[in-house]
Amino acid sequence: WKTKMVPGWEPAAGSNGNREAWDLADAEKEKAVLLTCSDQGIAAAHRWRLPVIAIRNEEFWREHGVQSLFGAPVLLEDAEALTGDLLETVWKRFYGVPLVIGETARCRIREIGGKDLRQLYEASGGVIHEGQPEAAGLSWEEYREFWDAYLRNQYTFYGYGLWLAQEKEQAGGLLGLAGFSDAEELSYWIVPEKRRRGYAREICSFLLEYAGENLGWKRVCARIREDNFPSLDLAESLGFCRIRRYQEKGVWVSEWRAVIPKES
């Protein structure tokens, strides 16, 4: 990793400091993250098109005044909180590189990227698989517009969402989507040709553990159409309990809830 700590002032044009920043932005940005304790440093990162992390520095602020540090995606209270994983996350978020959140025996689960959208659209028929029951298929323009906004905001602000599931042994072959809504609701979709092979259970079991260990959740819910028998069976096998049933647009839907066990 190449990091550059930017002070709270602007180097004069043509100065050595400006030259260093230019070199960092142009020649080494493939693994560069800018660190700063000032608003000026954040503004410089935006100009140089670099990912940036802000770090509080009370000593600097006593001399130069308190800084808002608005505009940095991550604000650390102490430099000791800076880790390689955090640098990787901030860098990938800035350049739109999907993060892998984990693997199972057969699957790799990662964030969705812009390059995945056409394949997802063709495989899903334009359906947005976020919650149950499913919405009608969208046009390609509508589908892309939804996901473009989703990818700009969801993972950065929430840290979770719908993730892409791939086969590890088939050069990243598409398995489907699975993840959580902001209502702590689990949903999944497996491409038709990969169903009835245990992938849904494998992926959803991993996600329940992920929710407890990484998101700090104590329970997860699911909404399932009552004519979707495979999903009803899956919910029961994952330890979900049915808590109510209701009609939605003329279709009976049941709501399920699972308590995530604490680590022993």
Side-chain angles (χ1 to χ4, degrees):
W1 280 102
K2 178 75 171 181
T3 59
K4 182 74 174 179
M5 176 60 82
V6 176
W9 58 85
E10 299 278 357
S15 71
N16 186 54
N18 202 42
R19 180 69 257 168
E20 288 179 314
W22 179 268
D23 290 343
L24 184 62
D26 283 1
E28 299 169 338
K29 71 179 184 180
E30 67 276 3
K31 274 295 182 179
V33 175
L34 187 146
L35 311 178
T36 186
C37 58
S38 74
D39 297 332
Q40 296 95 325
I42 295 172
H46 294 332
R47 286 199 307 276
W48 297 329
R49 298 181 181 177
L50 285 171
V52 59
I53 295 174
I55 304 174
R56 291 189 185 276
N57 187 322
E58 299 295 340
E59 183 177 346
F60 175 86
W61 290 4
R62 280 193 292 271
E63 182 177 350
H64 298 279
V66 175
Q67 309 284 301
S68 71
L69 302 183
F70 180 78
V74 174
L75 172 58
L76 301 181
E77 297 296 326
D78 193 299
E80 292 183 359
L82 189 66
T83 65
D85 286 344
L86 179 60
L87 289 169
E88 187 84 19
T89 297
V90 170
W91 183 86
K92 286 186 174 182
R93 288 270 187 266
F94 184 84
Y95 290 107
V97 179
L99 290 172
V100 175
I101 68 161
E103 295 185 348
T104 66
R106 298 180 294 168
C107 312
R108 178 175 296 105
I109 302 167
R110 65 167 174 81
E111 296 174 350
I112 302 165
K115 294 181 180 179
D116 301 316
L117 298 185
R118 176 58 75 172
Q119 183 183 20
L120 283 171
Y121 178 76
E122 293 175 354
S124 68
V127 173
I128 302 295
H129 294 278
E130 188 178 31
Q132 298 287 349
E134 297 172 355
L138 304 176
S139 68
W140 164 242
E141 290 74 18
E142 293 170 325
Y143 190 86
R144 183 176 58 187
E145 181 179 356
F146 171 87
W147 283 112
D148 284 346
Y150 190 93
L151 299 182
R152 282 195 305 271
N153 300 293
Q154 183 69 30
Y155 302 130
T156 300
F157 290 115
Y158 292 97
Y160 62 86
L162 284 177
W163 291 291
L164 187 80
Q166 298 175 302
E167 290 180 289
K168 290 165 59 175
E169 302 299 327
Q170 298 296 324
L174 177 65
L175 287 173
L177 300 175
F180 304 106
S181 73
D182 56 6
E184 300 184 0
E185 178 184 345
L186 173 68
S187 62
Y188 76 94
W189 166 75
I190 304 296
V191 296
E193 62 269 23
K194 301 293 183 179
R195 294 173 185 172
R196 301 186 184 280
R197 302 185 190 182
Y199 283 120
R201 177 176 173 77
E202 187 172 329
I203 293 165
C204 291
S205 294
F206 166 83
L207 291 180
L208 291 176
E209 291 183 13
Y210 183 90
E213 295 174 4
N214 295 276
L215 303 178
W217 292 357
K218 297 180 179 179
R219 61 183 59 84
V220 170
C221 68
R223 292 183 300 129
I224 306 170
R225 289 173 52 128
E226 294 206 335
D227 58 357
N228 186 348
F229 300 112
S231 288
L232 295 173
D233 291 342
L234 175 63
E236 287 194 74
S237 71
L238 291 171
F240 281 78
C241 296
R242 191 191 330 244
I243 58 174
R244 70 183 182 113
R245 62 193 297 265
Y246 59 93
Q247 275 194 313
E248 185 173 280
K249 297 180 180 179
V251 176
W252 280 101
V253 177
S254 57
E255 184 173 341
W256 298 67
R257 183 173 296 166
V259 175
I260 299 175
K262 296 181 179 179
E263 292 183 88
S264 57

